[in-house]
Amino acid sequence: MKKNFTVRKFYLFIFSLILQQHPAFSQSSSINRQIFFLDDKLIEVTFTTDVKKLRNDKSKPIYLPAHVTMKFSDTSVISEDIRVQPRGIYRKNHCNIASLMLNFKNPSSPKLSPLKKLKLVGGCRNGSDYDELLLKEYLVYKIQNLLSNMSFRVRLMHITYNDSKQKVKPYTQYAFLIEDLKDLAERNNCVEKKDTVFYTEATNRKQMTFVNLFQYMIGNTDWSVMRCHNIKLIVSKNDTLSKPYTIPYDFDYCGLVNANYAVPDEQLGIEFVRERLYRGFPRGLDELEEAINIFKEKKESIMYYIDHFDLCSQKCRKNIMEYLNEFYNTIDNKKKVESIFIINARTN
């Protein structure tokens, strides 16, 4: 056991050296987007655009010019002109600045152009409370990464927004970029499944079982396969007629994040997002045990990652781990597993 741990440490050390020498961290070279999303190190960013127009334009989104400067942990800097547009329905209408789509693929951004177009998720408003919510949502993605390769990778940033018209005071907040779905599908030997409506149980059963448990783990009810709400579908490249895999995303309404603006759908019969509700269909005990074992095997890694995520306060980290331990106590109890995931599972 000790020998295997030492070997893992050695390979992690070698990999870190490779990362440091890779063009993704060289000011003179272009970014490599695969390695870009494998690195956990925070990027300090300065973002300059017409902030007021970005905030207030409720018409059909158009791209605005922007200038971005990224300072990486190895001291390299990339500073280029890109384009940006607002996205998202709720955040666009209720937040200070909408979540954004960043278009890096421009003649004016040769070093960043390999990133192509990426979604940026920022805090709904300014302030430490909203920073904490953003960081907790980022952690949900990282937890999912530890559990499954079929999950969106993310890259954390600390962004200072400057208004090019100097009508809005500069402000700083945390944000993260989300990996493009094509890249997620590619590394799973899949392609995106578009323009097709699927019933929940018409998707890959093993993956759907995992997703059901993951959503229950984080206390998330804000998703639907049939409505393609906060779910993407990918299908095997080798068999495009096979059942698609479900990939969840957008977790700001989940109980683990516990955003002050998040309220559950009244039809679900729960009052608060912290209340867990299993939204999957019944499964056999053998199927559940197979999926549950994935969560049990990764528990130590998940708790370690959260406990050492220093950007969140100690109180915040403790709260997250206590919430997750409630889930682990549930899946350790066979009677609760049968009651929640079989007997009282949804039937329609």
Side-chain angles (χ1 to χ4, degrees):
M1 185 78 174
K2 187 174 181 181
K3 182 179 179 181
N4 290 338
F5 180 72
T6 303
V7 170
R8 285 200 302 271
K9 285 182 68 177
F10 172 75
Y11 281 116
L12 285 171
F13 173 71
I14 295 298
F15 184 64
S16 68
L17 291 179
I18 294 172
L19 283 178
Q20 291 172 23
Q21 298 302 318
H22 199 277
F25 300 90
S26 171
Q27 187 178 353
S28 60
S29 304
S30 297
I31 289 283
N32 179 295
R33 71 177 182 272
Q34 281 77 28
I35 290 184
F36 179 84
F37 280 104
L38 285 174
D39 189 14
D40 267 355
K41 296 183 180 68
L42 183 71
I43 305 174
E44 291 288 343
V45 177
T46 303
F47 187 85
T48 304
T49 190
D50 188 339
V51 173
K52 192 171 183 180
K53 187 171 184 179
L54 203 61
R55 280 181 178 177
N56 299 332
D57 190 358
K58 305 299 182 183
S59 60
K60 185 177 179 180
I62 60 171
Y63 276 111
L64 300 176
H67 186 84
V68 63
T69 299
M70 294 188 183
K71 297 180 181 179
F72 296 91
S73 60
D74 67 346
T75 71
S76 64
V77 178
I78 295 179
S79 187
E80 294 182 331
D81 291 324
I82 65 169
R83 292 182 295 153
V84 58
Q85 71 176 21
R87 68 174 189 87
I89 299 172
Y90 179 88
R91 297 192 195 199
K92 182 178 178 181
N93 292 324
H94 295 85
C95 299
N96 278 347
I97 189 167
S99 294
L100 306 174
M101 176 67 76
L102 304 186
N103 188 339
F104 297 100
K105 197 169 179 60
N106 310 284
S108 58
S109 49
K111 296 175 185 176
L112 294 174
S113 62
L115 295 177
K116 299 182 180 179
K117 295 180 183 179
L118 293 175
K119 296 176 181 178
L120 179 79
V121 178
C124 186
R125 300 185 186 278
N126 302 339
S128 59
D129 289 347
Y130 285 95
D131 268 344
E132 187 172 273
L133 295 179
L134 187 284
L135 292 170
K136 287 195 285 186
E137 186 178 2
Y138 169 80
L139 278 175
V140 173
Y141 281 95
K142 300 303 288 187
I143 292 169
Q144 192 184 15
N145 294 161
L146 290 169
L147 289 165
S148 172
N149 195 44
M150 284 194 176
S151 59
F152 283 102
R153 292 171 178 167
V154 288
R155 186 66 189 271
L156 189 62
M157 298 179 157
H158 192 229
I159 303 182
T160 297
Y161 293 89
N162 290 324
D163 182 26
S164 58
K165 304 295 184 181
Q166 297 184 339
K167 295 179 180 179
V168 179
K169 290 183 179 179
Y171 64 96
T172 303
Q173 64 175 202
Y174 287 101
F176 57 83
L177 289 171
I178 302 179
E179 175 186 32
D180 185 77
L181 179 61
K182 289 182 180 178
D183 288 337
L184 184 158
E186 179 66 31
R187 59 185 168 81
N188 285 284
N189 197 32
C190 291
V191 293
E192 182 181 4
K193 191 74 171 177
K194 293 182 178 179
D195 304 323
T196 307
V197 175
F198 279 87
Y199 290 104
T200 303
E201 295 296 79
T203 62
N204 182 278
R205 188 175 177 92
K206 186 175 180 179
Q207 172 68 4
M208 194 69 249
T209 303
F210 166 79
V211 169
N212 287 335
L213 287 175
F214 177 75
Q215 301 281 34
Y216 183 81
M217 176 194 200
I218 64 172
N220 191 30
T221 59
D222 186 34
W223 61 281
S224 169
V225 175
M226 273 196 65
R227 291 188 287 123
C228 298
H229 178 57
N230 295 336
I231 291 284
K232 295 293 185 182
L233 299 175
I234 60 175
V235 66
S236 171
K237 273 184 179 180
N238 302 323
D239 184 7
T240 55
L241 297 178
S242 62
K243 292 183 177 181
Y245 301 97
T246 49
I247 314 296
Y249 68 101
D250 198 350
F251 304 114
D252 66 314
Y253 264 59
C254 79
L256 187 148
V257 174
N258 197 24
N260 54 9
Y261 55 79
V263 292
D265 188 322
E266 60 183 20
Q267 296 181 20
L268 296 176
I270 57 176
E271 294 185 24
F272 309 104
V273 292
R274 293 282 283 187
E275 296 180 57
R276 287 187 171 91
L277 176 68
Y278 181 65
R279 299 201 63 213
F281 287 84
R283 291 291 188 261
L285 267 178
D286 55 339
E287 294 176 286
L288 288 168
E289 287 174 1
E290 183 180 2
I292 284 170
N293 284 336
I294 296 172
F295 292 87
K296 289 182 176 180
E297 289 168 3
K298 296 297 183 180
K299 179 181 179 180
E300 186 176 345
S301 299
I302 290 170
M303 295 303 184
Y304 181 89
Y305 191 92
I306 295 167
D307 195 33
H308 289 76
F309 188 68
D310 294 336
L311 293 177
C312 278
S313 67
Q314 186 175 3
K315 181 181 178 181
C316 172
R317 285 175 278 158
K318 181 181 178 182
N319 182 272
I320 292 171
M321 290 189 286
E322 286 176 351
Y323 190 69
L324 293 180
N325 272 322
E326 290 175 5
F327 166 78
Y328 277 103
N329 289 337
T330 296
I331 63 174
D332 281 336
N333 186 312
K334 187 175 180 180
K335 287 185 177 180
K336 288 184 178 180
V337 169
E338 290 178 341
S339 174
I340 296 169
F341 308 125
I342 300 176
I343 297 172
N344 293 299
R346 62 184 293 189
T347 56
N348 54 53

